[in-house]
């Protein structure tokens, strides 16, 4: 097939438009009009394309979620093989897509990547850096004191008063195990026979909320402040407080609607989840309650031993980073006068220890700690994180950095907000999740360090929100991955620098009164000691 050639030699598509059929005149005019019509048609098509894409964005997302869930459901109905171990339980009704997250047997991403020699070499490089830190510390101690000093005074200080931590944790654990479960059983036994279901539910909810506030809300704070726990011990109590609150809420939130929907037959009692399933949930590495999860057939004790060793290795790694890279810079004995120059240099000096501490926290907790409990409990779904390091947008980074917490926030924050607003205020739902997450992060840091300095809150709730909308999922260029990493480097440097300065300011310039403003005003703003 050949294309006819126009009088001036330019080849055109055979496009018929109403305008071109009505135009008469010289051939040159027809060509000009045809070109103009083609450009107008292309612009119109582009506008229609953008409008259609905008209209179907939500529907397309729902269709993709549904297709993925159907695929997962069909997979979980067959025997799933994971690391040579077989599970033959199909996904229970409570794990269907319309009820939220679906659990599937799958390994952690780093466990798969460590099978590749090139990736495992990077892991070996980090081990080599740890050895260099150890040799550097030993060499400096030998030069300064004439002998090898193996003292971990900072480590022992940070984890002091563990006896208090143990009994406080035991109180929170037994309360979380018994009170929410018994409350659910009593409420469920009366719900279908009570004439005022709404009154019963509201009364039970208010009573449980009040007890939760005292035991899981105020009790941990009282222990941390009253017994003057050191930093690491504080973090253990506060993080366990948050974990028990999130787990108990998920248990009530998942089982309550099921009891309400399933009216028992006459003469039968309502069906409740077993206490053993709830006990398993309190220890398994997820924040979403299900009566059953994909399970492995046996425990790999070699994996347990290696993972435990990696946890202790990360602990000593963080110790050497603080001792060699942070303490010498921020301790007051350096006698460096404060100025803008020293502040800028301190921030950039803190970038290296900051990003190393970030990677250590990720590896030690999200990979090693959660996989350790997953292996001991034969919990098969090990997707605790995704490939956040490849993110080209902060929206994707927030979704993939900590999948365990993200699932809880998405399930009970974002989705419930959309349900209450009839899916009208997606931006408001996203912002509310960001604010709640930022407040909880800042609460944990404030209670852990023993002072209020909302650096994390401002970085998370303000800059994090801006970056989330500015660097969204449309950004796919590798350049934005560089921007994301650069932002993480700078943000970690700012946090390590400011929190370290405030830590020493709290020591050398203690509060003179207990007024509210005195407690919430950072001491480093007014402390006059010479850094």
């Amino acid at each position: 097939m050949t294309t006819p050639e126009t009088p001036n030699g330019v080849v055109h598509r055979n496009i018929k438009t109403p305008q071109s059929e009505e135009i008469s005149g010289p051939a040159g005019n027809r060509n000009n009009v045809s070109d103009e019509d083609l450009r107008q048609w292309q612009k119109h098509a582009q506008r229609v394309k953008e409008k259609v894409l905008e209209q179907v964005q939500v529907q397309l997302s729902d269709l993709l979620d549904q297709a993925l869930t159907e695929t997962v459901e069909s997979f979980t109905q067959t025997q799933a093989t994971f690391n040579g171990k077989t599970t033959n339980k199909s996904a229970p009704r409570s794990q269907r897509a319309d009820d939220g997250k679906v659990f599937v047997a799958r390994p952690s991403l780093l466990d798969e990547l460590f099978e590749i020699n090139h990736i495992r070499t990077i892991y070996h490089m980090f081990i080599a850096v740890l050895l260099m830190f150890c040799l550097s510390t030993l060499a400096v101690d030998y030069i300064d004191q004439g002998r090898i000093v193996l003292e971990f005074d900072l480590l022992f200080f940070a984890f002091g008063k563990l006896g208090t931590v143990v009994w406080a944790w035991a109180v929170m654990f037994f309360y979380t195990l018994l009170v929410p479960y018994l409350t659910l059983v009593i409420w469920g036994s009366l719900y279908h026979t009570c004439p005022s279901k709404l009154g019963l539910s509201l009364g039970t909810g208010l009573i449980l909320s009040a007890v939760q506030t005292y035991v899981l809300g105020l009790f941990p704070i009282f222990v941390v402040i009253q017994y003057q726990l050191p930093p690491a011990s504080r973090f253990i109590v506060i993080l366990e407080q948050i974990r028990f609150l999130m787990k108990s809420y998920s248990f009530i939130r998942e089982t309550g609607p099921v009891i309400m929907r399933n009216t028992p037959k006459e003469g039968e009692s309502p069906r409740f989840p077993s206490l053993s399933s709830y006990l398993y949930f309190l220890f398994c590495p997820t924040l979403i309650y299900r009566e059953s999860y994909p399970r492995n057939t046996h425990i790999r004790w070699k994996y347990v031993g290696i993972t435990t060793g990696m946890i202790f290795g990360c602990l000593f790694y963080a110790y050497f980073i603080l001792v060699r890279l942070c303490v010498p810079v921020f301790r007051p004995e350096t006698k460096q006068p404060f100025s803008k120059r020293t502040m800028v240099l301190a921030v950039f000096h803190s970038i290296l220890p900051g990003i190393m501490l970030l990677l250590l926290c990720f590896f030690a907790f999200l990979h090693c700690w959660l996989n350790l409990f997953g292996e001991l409990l034969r919990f098969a779904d090990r997707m605790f994180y995704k490939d956040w390091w490849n993110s080209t947008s902060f929206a994707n980074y927030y979704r993939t950095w900590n999948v365990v917490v993200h699932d809880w926030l998405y399930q009970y924050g974002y989705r419930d907000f959309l349900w209450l607003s009839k899916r009208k205020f997606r931006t408001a739902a996203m912002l509310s999740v960001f604010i709640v997450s930022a407040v909880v992060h800042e609460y944990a840091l404030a209670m852990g360090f023993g002072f209020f300095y909302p650096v994390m809150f401002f970085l998370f709730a303000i800059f994090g929100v801006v970056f989330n909308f500015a660097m969204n999922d449309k950004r796919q260029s590798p350049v934005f991955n560089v921007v994301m990493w650069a932002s993480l480097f700078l943000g970690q440097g700012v946090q390590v620098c400011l929190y370290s300065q405030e830590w020493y300011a709290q020591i050398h310039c203690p509060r003179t009164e207990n007024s509210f403003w005195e407690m919430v005003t950072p001491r480093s703003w007014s402390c006059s000691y010479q850094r």
Side-chain angles (χ1 to χ4, degrees), residues 300-531:
R300 297 172 295 168
W301 291 106
K302 181 180 178 181
Y303 183 88
V304 171
I306 294 175
T307 305
T308 304
M310 289 192 295
I311 293 175
F312 282 103
C314 291
L315 190 62
F316 285 103
Y317 213 138
Y319 167 79
F320 284 117
I321 290 175
L322 293 174
V323 170
R324 305 306 304 170
L325 299 180
C326 293
V327 173
V329 176
F330 295 102
R331 63 186 176 190
E333 288 78 6
T334 54
K335 299 297 183 182
Q336 296 180 6
F338 178 79
S339 64
K340 293 182 180 179
R341 179 180 180 276
T342 57
M343 183 66 181
V344 172
L345 291 178
V347 169
F348 281 95
H349 183 89
S350 303
I351 288 178
L352 177 60
I355 199 63
M356 292 184 72
L357 290 173
L358 176 71
L359 296 177
L360 280 175
C361 290
F362 159 74
F363 185 74
F365 179 73
L366 291 176
H367 179 73
C368 297
W369 184 262
L370 296 183
N371 270 295
L372 175 63
F373 274 83
E375 190 65 32
L376 290 173
L377 297 173
R378 298 188 291 114
F379 184 81
D381 192 345
R382 308 289 180 85
M383 195 184 70
F384 308 128
Y385 53 88
K386 298 179 183 178
D387 58 335
W388 58 269
W389 48 85
N390 291 326
S391 299
T392 56
S393 66
F394 273 89
N396 185 69
Y397 168 76
Y398 293 136
R399 289 193 300 267
T400 56
W401 160 260
N402 188 341
V403 174
V404 178
V405 174
H406 172 267
D407 287 341
W408 193 93
L409 291 173
Y410 176 79
Q411 187 80 8
Y412 308 122
Y414 183 77
R415 283 185 51 172
D416 284 358
F417 191 101
L418 290 182
W419 178 76
L420 291 173
S421 63
K422 298 182 180 180
R423 306 181 72 85
K424 293 182 180 180
F425 305 106
R426 291 182 176 271
T427 302
M430 184 182 300
L431 289 176
S432 65
V433 170
F434 264 96
I435 296 300
V436 170
S437 182
V439 169
V440 173
H441 278 79
E442 187 58 43
Y443 164 76
L445 289 179
M447 296 304 301
F449 289 135
F451 55 78
F452 178 74
Y453 199 6
V455 178
M456 169 69 82
F457 179 83
F458 280 100
L459 291 178
F460 204 118
I462 297 179
F463 293 101
V465 172
V466 173
F467 281 136
N468 181 72
F469 288 100
M471 292 181 60
N472 51 40
D473 291 330
K474 296 180 180 179
R475 315 295 185 182
Q476 299 295 329
S477 172
V479 175
F480 293 101
N481 183 250
V482 177
V483 173
M484 187 209 72
W485 275 106
S487 302
L488 288 179
F489 286 169
L490 185 58
Q492 289 302 117
V494 170
Q495 290 184 68
V496 171
C497 176
L498 295 183
Y499 281 125
S500 298
Q501 290 180 351
E502 182 66 19
W503 174 266
Y504 283 111
Q506 291 283 334
I507 295 175
H508 293 274
C509 300
R511 293 193 302 266
T512 57
E513 56 185 47
N514 291 324
S515 64
F516 173 77
W517 292 111
E518 185 78 8
M519 289 187 291
V520 300
T521 302
R523 302 298 301 160
S524 57
W525 292 1
S526 58
C527 187
S528 60
Y529 77 94
Q530 294 292 317
R531 293 186 51 259

Side-chain angles (χ1 to χ4, degrees), residues 43-198:
K43 293 180 180 179
H44 176 71
Q46 184 66 25
R47 289 193 297 269
V48 172
K49 174 185 175 182
E50 294 175 355
K51 186 176 181 180
V52 170
L53 289 176
E54 182 179 358
Q55 291 176 348
V56 305
Q57 182 179 7
V58 176
Q59 290 82 352
L60 180 60
S61 177
D62 294 339
L63 288 175
L64 290 175
D65 291 340
Q66 182 179 358
L68 177 61
T69 303
E70 291 175 353
T71 303
V72 170
E73 287 181 358
S74 62
F75 174 77
T76 54
Q77 290 174 357
T78 62
Q79 289 187 343
T81 301
F82 171 54
N83 286 339
K85 301 177 286 293
T86 303
T87 54
N88 54 13
K89 293 182 179 180
S90 61
R93 176 65 180 89
S94 59
Q95 294 187 24
R96 301 291 175 82
D98 51 356
D99 292 332
K101 180 178 174 64
V102 177
F103 291 90
V104 181
R106 49 194 164 186
S108 288
L109 182 56
L110 283 183
D111 284 337
E112 291 184 322
L113 292 178
F114 284 158
E115 298 295 328
I116 305 173
N117 290 333
H118 303 291
I119 303 299
R120 192 163 59 249
T121 300
I122 300 177
Y123 170 69
H124 295 161
M125 292 168 59
F126 275 90
I127 297 178
V129 173
L130 174 60
L131 295 177
M132 290 302 102
F133 272 125
C134 296
L135 292 176
S136 171
T137 303
L138 294 176
V140 170
D141 290 341
Y142 183 79
I143 293 173
D144 292 343
Q145 303 184 29
R147 61 186 180 92
I148 296 178
V149 180
L150 294 177
E151 295 180 355
F152 300 97
D153 50 347
L154 180 61
L155 200 60
F156 288 114
F157 161 73
F159 286 92
K161 299 183 179 180
L162 285 180
T164 304
V165 174
V166 170
W167 71 258
W169 180 88
V171 170
M172 292 189 293
F173 167 73
F174 285 108
Y175 165 82
T176 307
L177 175 65
L178 298 176
V179 174
Y181 183 82
L182 295 177
T183 302
L184 179 76
V185 171
I186 295 173
W187 168 81
S189 301
L190 300 175
Y191 180 78
H192 293 286
T193 58
C194 181
S196 178
K197 294 181 173 60
L198 179 61

